[in-house]
Amino acid sequence: MSSDFRALMLNASDDGKKVTPEFRTLSVNDLPEGEVLIRVSHSTLNYKDGMILNGLGRLVRQYPHVPGVDFAGEVVESSDDRYSAGDQVILTGWRVGESHWGGYAQMARVKADWLVPLPEGLTTAQAMAIGTAGFTSMLAVMALEEQGISPQLDGEILVTGAAGGVGSVAISILAHLGYRVVASTGRPENSDYLKHLGASGVVDRAELAEPSSRPLLSERWQGAIDSVGSTTLAHILAEMKYHGAVAACGLAGGADLPATVIPFLLRGVRLIGIDSVLCPYEKRVRAWQRLVTDLPKERLTEATQIVALADILPYGEKILKGEVRGRLVIDVKAC
């Protein structure tokens, strides 16, 4: 096995305000420490990746850095008994691509605890079509289920940021399970796409982002999966039905929450935060098994675009502008 491989590496200016990407040839000796060495096959482009590629949000504190917040591939070497050469594995979370070198390289070395075996019935490309975003979607669905939300209840489930990675996979899962799903998007041209994924209706993002002076609005949603936050999340909380539940992940609209405690006190609304990073191993495995059975493969394929790692840079800006629809899988071998 050659010890050399190609990687996308980021360097920062002395003041940290400008990040410059560069494709380089590296050696496995350059990789950070870890028990498992992996030949990376596929990664993805998430919203967080777009921020990192453009030096936004100070998600990366130490340069040079290899981005890519998730990846899938084949074990080359392992000092941990749980993994052997040839095993197929997935990595999502654990600040990979932020504080630890990530998936935009043909080789990676990580801690064994961060990995999950590739479930039977998935390829590495399909696993990355799901990726951190799809994994987060399943965690959100599971959180709603744990709060007693089910397809048998009278009410609709709202999904915000619907055309993005988390939203599009969440719609597909919920519709497959029999929920009535309403999608929220700021782009009317995405309506047909979202309905094809399984949404029964589409609402304009601006309608939900409109701040209200009233702590409670007419009851509308039995459950919600929100990846926007800020005024959108506040608006959703005010419209929840009695004992409704919101699974919140991502802060595309900001971290401020201009809401009151009234929805929680008078309607018993539950707000559950979804953390796909520090997720216990058993729950991670269970979520990936659910993704094999509860996410229609044909919907996954339709919502996926594959791009070579060598061509990724323009997409970093596109995803920040909301111009990437569905899932963007990165073929790391093509670099």
Side-chain angles (χ1 to χ4, degrees):
M1 179 193 73
S2 172
S3 63
D4 293 338
F5 61 92
R6 296 285 288 170
L8 174 60
M9 181 166 280
L10 303 180
N11 285 284
S13 58
D14 292 340
D15 59 8
K17 294 183 178 180
K18 182 179 180 181
V19 171
T20 304
E22 178 187 10
F23 287 98
R24 294 182 56 187
T25 298
L26 302 177
S27 165
V28 293
N29 295 326
D30 298 320
L31 293 170
E33 294 183 357
E35 297 91 7
V36 186
L37 179 66
I38 299 158
R39 180 179 292 106
V40 179
S41 174
H42 295 88
S43 184
T44 57
L45 180 73
N46 297 289
Y47 191 88
K48 188 182 289 186
D49 293 309
M51 294 178 65
I52 291 170
L53 287 173
N54 287 277
L56 304 176
R58 292 191 60 80
L59 295 169
V60 176
R61 301 298 179 89
Q62 187 172 355
Y63 294 90
H65 177 73
V66 175
V69 301
D70 51 17
F71 62 80
E74 179 181 313
V75 173
V76 177
E77 296 175 357
S78 174
S79 61
D80 188 285
D81 293 339
R82 288 171 290 179
Y83 297 102
S84 302
D87 289 349
Q88 302 288 309
V89 292
I90 306 168
L91 193 150
T92 59
W94 302 104
R95 304 299 180 198
V96 168
E98 298 175 60
S99 59
H100 188 96
W101 283 12
Y104 292 174
Q106 293 173 331
M107 300 292 288
R109 185 184 284 123
V110 298
K111 293 184 178 181
D113 288 342
W114 298 353
L115 299 170
V116 175
L118 181 73
E120 186 175 350
L122 281 183
T123 66
T124 55
Q126 289 173 329
M128 287 297 98
I130 296 170
T132 295
F135 174 65
T136 303
S137 299
M138 179 52 76
L139 291 179
V141 172
M142 291 166 61
L144 294 183
E145 293 173 342
E146 290 164 2
Q147 297 300 316
I149 307 299
S150 74
Q152 287 70 46
L153 295 177
D154 180 24
E156 296 174 317
I157 308 296
L158 174 70
V159 177
T160 68
V166 173
S168 57
V169 177
I171 291 169
S172 298
I173 294 171
L174 290 165
H176 179 73
L177 293 174
Y179 291 91
R180 288 187 291 133
V181 188
V182 174
S184 167
T185 180
R187 293 178 175 270
E189 64 270 22
N190 286 330
S191 294
D192 289 343
Y193 165 74
L194 296 171
K195 290 179 179 178
H196 182 68
L197 291 178
S200 59
V202 178
V203 296
D204 194 316
R205 179 176 61 198
E207 176 185 336
L208 298 173
E210 190 70 29
S212 173
S213 59
R214 297 169 55 193
L216 290 177
L217 300 170
S218 298
E219 294 183 67
R220 190 173 183 183
W221 315 112
Q222 185 64 53
I225 295 177
D226 174 56
S227 57
V228 177
S230 192
T231 55
T232 296
L233 178 55
H235 193 112
I236 294 169
L237 291 171
E239 290 187 333
M240 295 304 296
K241 290 191 171 187
Y242 182 73
H243 272 194
V246 181
C249 52
L251 298 170
D256 293 335
L257 181 58
T260 74
V261 298
I262 299 300
F264 308 106
L265 295 180
L266 299 187
R267 288 187 183 166
V269 174
R270 280 76 51 86
L271 175 61
I272 308 102
I274 305 301
D275 186 357
S276 61
V277 177
L278 299 177
C279 180
Y281 178 80
E282 294 77 11
K283 191 168 189 176
R284 286 159 56 211
V285 172
R286 189 164 71 252
W288 276 104
Q289 292 295 341
R290 287 282 305 271
L291 284 160
V292 175
T293 58
D294 295 341
L295 176 60
K297 296 291 197 308
E298 64 276 10
R299 292 289 182 267
L300 182 64
T301 301
E302 292 166 358
T304 300
Q305 178 183 359
I306 297 179
V307 173
L309 179 58
D311 300 326
I312 192 177
L313 293 178
Y315 291 91
E317 293 186 7
K318 287 184 178 181
I319 197 168
L320 297 180
K321 295 177 181 178
E323 297 175 357
V324 174
R325 192 173 72 177
R327 301 292 294 131
L328 193 65
V329 172
I330 309 304
D331 184 350
V332 178
K333 303 183 300 298
C335 180

